[in-house]
Amino acid sequence: MTLQELVHQAASIYSDKIAVCFDECNNQPPVYYTYKTVVNAASELSNFLQLHCDFQGIREVGLYCHPGINLPSWILGILQVPAAYAPIDPDSPPALSTHFMKKCNLSYILVEKQQINKFKSSYEIFLNYDTLKEHSDLVLFRLHWKNVEGSLMLNNRKQKYEKEEMTNSTNSGNSNEEKSEEHMDVRGKHCLAYVLHTSGTTGIPKIVRVPHACIVPNIQHFRCELPVPLGFPLLGTVVEVRDTNGFTIQEGHGQVFLGGRNRVCFLDDEMTVPLGIMRATGDLVMVKDGEMFFLGRKDSQIKRHGKRLNIELVQQVAEGLQQVESCAVTWYNQEKLILFMVSKNDLVKEYIFKELQKHLPSHAIPDEILLIDSLPFTSHGKIDVSELNKIYLNDLNLKSECKLNGKEELWEKLQYLWKSILNHSEDPLKVPDESLFLNSGGDSLKSIRLLNEIEKLVGTSVPGLLEIILSSPILEIYNHVLQTVFPDEDLVFSKNYAVKRKFNDVNQEETSGKSLRQKSVMMLSCDDELTAFTAVSRGSQILSPNTKFLTKLGLCSSAHSSDLMSQTNIQNVESLNPPALIRKSKDPSCVAEVSEEGTCVLAAKKMELHVRWRSDTGKCVDASPLVVIPAVDKSSATVYIGSHSHRMVAVDLYSGKVKWEQILGDRIESSACVSKCGNFIVVGCYNGLVYVLKSNSGEKYWTFPTEDAVKSSAAMDPTTGLIYIGSHDQRAYALDIYEKKCVWKLKCGGTVFSSPCLSLIPHHLYVATLGGHLLAINPATGNRVWEHCCGKPLFSSPRCCLQYVCIGCVDGNLLCFTHFGEQVWQFSTSEPIFSSPCTSASEQEIFFCSHDCFIYCCNVKGHLQWKFGTTSQVYATPFAFRYQEGSSEMLLAAASTDGKLWILESKSGQLQSVSELPGEVFSSPVVWESMLIIGCRNNYVYCLDLSGGYQI
């Protein structure tokens, strides 16, 4: 069975159904191809290649193009020749791609017509080629490698590393592959599917040829087994742990090896490989009592800009430069790639950057280069990384003490920082005055970096700068900084920059000043009915306004439990506890899964997570799910979530079937909120509108315009039914969705990115801004009760409990206030806090996460109870839940940005399970019954079943 045969099977059944959708993100509608169109175009390309290509040896065809609607047809056409598909990235450095093509001894390459000029200009000094024929939007070239040098400048250490890598990868120890006489031959006509250029565990780039027999079982596994369990080996995969001598172990420390009879890939120049060969993954584990615990990587592999990178590759390429005597690379605070260099002569950093860009992909280019006199070593003769970090920190401090020589230097330095952080360093042109940071490839994390770099440059804090970075062009950023540093200088204006768009005016004053009468029951129209339901959202928040009580999943909701006790029947509170979340596992042994990126995912298998369903939204899912469970029919529970594809979807919680889908006007990062009556869903959008949708159909009921993007998630007041939400226009709004009007709006002194938080006793609405302000507002009138300036931006949402309100700050502190505005304590981490806090059932513990890669638990006095180190920054809000009905034992779910899901014991912080999704995660997990729901940047919403092997 081959990949193309799988496609043809589907095409024979679904000929006229949509096979491919491509969205160019240019405000134009997506383009669609049916299976019939894809297969016909592929066959035409296959016939063309068969006519004009004369293959000798391994059949491989390169494809030099950008992603587009035709890409699947082109790949399929190459496979049908039959030949292997070899992707060549137009944005990759030509020297790197030339190394790949030469190592493959690639004879033919298809070049997209739109990329012809770029291909010729990029490769004319590296390649000899003939132009053969044109076909549709492609041009076929024949490559000649005689007297052509394609080098990565890895010096003469390269061959040594390659030999070591081959030895490490194929070392069989006491495994059975040596006994096998069967081999797979790379030269077989139908053997290869595709060829990749990757980085080995030593950092040296390798060529990996992947046969159909290796990849097809993955697809068959996902076809035949739905849901696919996370943590179990895929079909035909064998997992072993071996010690340093290559022997399989059952206890102790070792490295994970993966293989299987047909799990065979060809590395570099391998022509035949024994069936069943085992390959080293580079993942180090400890095996104890039949369980595997992940310890780290054998190499220096990191994940940067969404791609895996071995930092040794950066070091080896830098060492290959003639002017470099020695160097070292560090991953500073898991955020910055710093290259330390000892030079043979005086070097200009820009020259080094340009040389590295010739030989490294963009995600491997260092953030900064530091020239030093000599490398520091430990007493054991190894590079002293901690000393290098001190050198870098001292350099930062020196920079902050340097004074700028006028506004011209400020403009030059701002341009440099802009390009550096956005990886546009190679662009020699000036950044256009009207350039927007987010539209140029920036995001909220990079905006924090730019903010910090600017403040280090000018040596002082710049109030309000973050909002300017996120919403205004570079010239306005410059003017804002100029006013702080050189207040007497005249501002510079661009003729090309249009005033920020305005949406329909709201015909209310900033605050109406009129008191809104508190209503115990919302006045609905005669056609509306109250629906009894339970709504679960991020941070362990659970509301049930129409069952006469509010409570949480064994935890504090936005309205804390003391408020509820004073208003409702205490006997009703416990009825919302879900069924037991954990079942005893019949097989508590630890197993591994190969992720879509080829890395081994390991877990401490006291708990296992299995994919119940996944739903494709078309683009990244950064919003967090809202789960609404009707009281009458709990089996019809629904997950509501939005995507960067502009889609708002309602998905059946148990089956994963899409109930409805509504296309909004722009990206959706806001998490949904349910109305008091249960009949509407409220969500914000990048186009500045707040959408009110009918919960049963997705039909648009009302839209309310703010004056800028709405990334804030709404909060609902169960006593009045009002909806509260913030906007990038620096206002907070109170909306009466039934009367379709704005009750009040309030200017908050900064962009409102996070979600408002409501307290019932006292009746306060808490709103945080990127200007660093935390406000307590009267929810009825919109008047300020008190305000505190935290000094740095607040991305975190406030969280209420019985006595306090807590919030995380970009300065790395978790801040705690009384409901009357008095700061009680602060707890410091070493990096910014974007995560919102959540509390335990007793409200005695507060859980939150930091960019320093730790999950924290503090008591209500601000004292650390425990902290747990993850493998990446944590942006999302944790979720605490009860694992067994009637038990006081609680667990905590958290997600790090590298896609890992962590399940911990909430009292001790002890790891119970870790699994990995195939994409970055900024969405926060939500747990209901035995299901964990979360969004992922691979475009999918996931529902995972939790099961475990606790001994009770």
Side-chain angles (χ1 to χ4, degrees), residues 798-843:
R799 185 61 188 268
C800 300
C801 59
L802 179 61
Q803 296 174 287
Y804 306 121
V805 56
C806 297
I807 192 167
C809 184
V810 162
D811 64 5
N813 289 313
L814 182 74
L815 307 172
C816 180
F817 302 87
T818 68
H819 288 289
F820 303 100
E822 178 186 357
Q823 183 171 338
V824 184
W825 51 260
Q826 69 179 39
F827 178 88
S828 298
T829 73
S830 59
E831 291 293 325
I833 299 175
F834 280 39
S835 164
S836 304
C838 77
T839 60
S840 64
S842 64
E843 298 188 354

Side-chain angles (χ1 to χ4, degrees), residues 535-542 553 581 609 623-629 638-641 653 671-672 876-881 893-895 901 903 923-935 941-946:
V536 189
S537 56
R538 62 181 178 176
S540 314
Q541 298 183 89
I542 181 164
L553 201 56
L581 299 186
L609 288 89
S624 300
L626 167 71
V627 181
V628 177
I629 306 98
T638 305
V639 177
Y640 298 95
I641 196 164
L653 172 62
S671 300
T877 301
F879 193 103
F881 60 98
L901 300 177
I903 307 296
S923 171
S924 300
V926 168
V927 177
W928 176 255
E929 293 185 342
S930 62
M931 292 165 285
L932 183 152
I933 308 96
I934 194 167
V941 181
Y942 284 86
C943 179
L944 307 172
D945 276 323
L946 296 89

Side-chain angles (χ1 to χ4, degrees), residues 880-924:
F881 60 98
R882 197 182 306 279
Y883 81 83
Q884 186 180 18
E885 187 175 8
S887 171
S888 60
E889 296 284 339
M890 301 292 294
L891 297 179
L892 190 75
S896 48
T897 54
D898 60 359
K900 287 193 175 66
L901 300 177
W902 308 87
I903 307 296
L904 312 176
E905 282 187 354
S906 67
K907 286 290 184 184
S908 65
Q910 182 178 351
L911 178 66
Q912 300 303 304
S913 175
V914 55
S915 297
E916 186 172 15
L917 294 177
E920 292 184 311
V921 172
F922 288 77
S923 171
S924 300

Side-chain angles (χ1 to χ4, degrees), residues 503 664 670 681-693 701-706 708-714 723-727 733 735 737:
F503 295 95
L664 305 189
S670 167
I681 297 297
V682 182
V683 67
C685 185
Y686 268 51
N687 65 355
L689 296 180
V690 179
Y691 287 84
V692 181
L693 309 175
Y701 173 76
W702 182 47
T703 58
F704 173 77
T706 74
D708 209 334
V710 181
K711 301 182 184 180
S712 170
S713 303
I723 298 292
Y724 307 106
I725 197 165
S727 169
Y733 294 88
L735 305 179
I737 63 173

Side-chain angles (χ1 to χ4, degrees), residues 370-371 390-404 413 455-459:
L370 257 66
L371 300 178
K390 288 179 183 177
I391 292 173
Y392 176 64
L393 194 58
N394 289 336
D395 183 73
L396 290 179
N397 292 333
L398 285 174
K399 284 181 181 177
S400 66
E401 294 172 2
C402 294
K403 298 298 182 182
L404 287 167
K413 293 288 180 67
E455 291 189 338
K456 288 172 187 172
L457 174 67
V458 301

Side-chain angles (χ1 to χ4, degrees), residues 720-901:
T720 65
L722 288 183
I723 298 292
Y724 307 106
I725 197 165
S727 169
H728 271 47
D729 67 6
Q730 303 192 11
R731 293 180 176 89
Y733 294 88
L735 305 179
D736 184 335
I737 63 173
Y738 303 101
E739 296 292 331
K740 296 185 178 181
K741 68 178 183 180
C742 177
V743 176
W744 56 256
K745 60 178 180 176
L746 177 68
K747 193 85 171 180
C748 297
T751 295
V752 183
F753 173 89
S754 63
S755 306
C757 174
L758 184 73
S759 167
L760 294 182
I761 300 178
H763 199 207
H764 285 173
L765 180 72
Y766 295 104
V767 175
T769 78
L770 299 189
H773 297 273
L774 176 64
L775 294 83
I777 302 169
N778 183 323
T781 65
N783 294 324
R784 286 180 177 84
V785 178
W786 55 262
E787 183 175 346
H788 182 90
C789 182
C790 300
K792 287 287 185 179
L794 301 171
F795 278 91
S796 170
S797 299
R799 185 61 188 268
C800 300
C801 59
L802 179 61
Q803 296 174 287
Y804 306 121
V805 56
C806 297
I807 192 167
C809 184
V810 162
D811 64 5
N813 289 313
L814 182 74
L815 307 172
C816 180
F817 302 87
T818 68
H819 288 289
F820 303 100
E822 178 186 357
Q823 183 171 338
V824 184
W825 51 260
Q826 69 179 39
F827 178 88
S828 298
T829 73
S830 59
E831 291 293 325
I833 299 175
F834 280 39
S835 164
S836 304
C838 77
T839 60
S840 64
S842 64
E843 298 188 354
Q844 296 304 302
E845 290 86 28
I846 301 165
F847 308 105
F848 63 99
C849 311
S850 170
H851 280 21
D852 64 7
C853 306
F854 280 94
I855 303 168
Y856 290 89
C857 174
C858 289
N859 64 19
V860 290
K861 295 182 179 180
H863 299 146
L864 179 67
Q865 302 300 292
W866 54 259
K867 68 176 184 176
F868 176 85
T870 70
T871 53
S872 185
Q873 296 173 335
V874 186
Y875 191 108
T877 301
F879 193 103
F881 60 98
R882 197 182 306 279
Y883 81 83
Q884 186 180 18
E885 187 175 8
S887 171
S888 60
E889 296 284 339
M890 301 292 294
L891 297 179
L892 190 75
S896 48
T897 54
D898 60 359
K900 287 193 175 66
L901 300 177

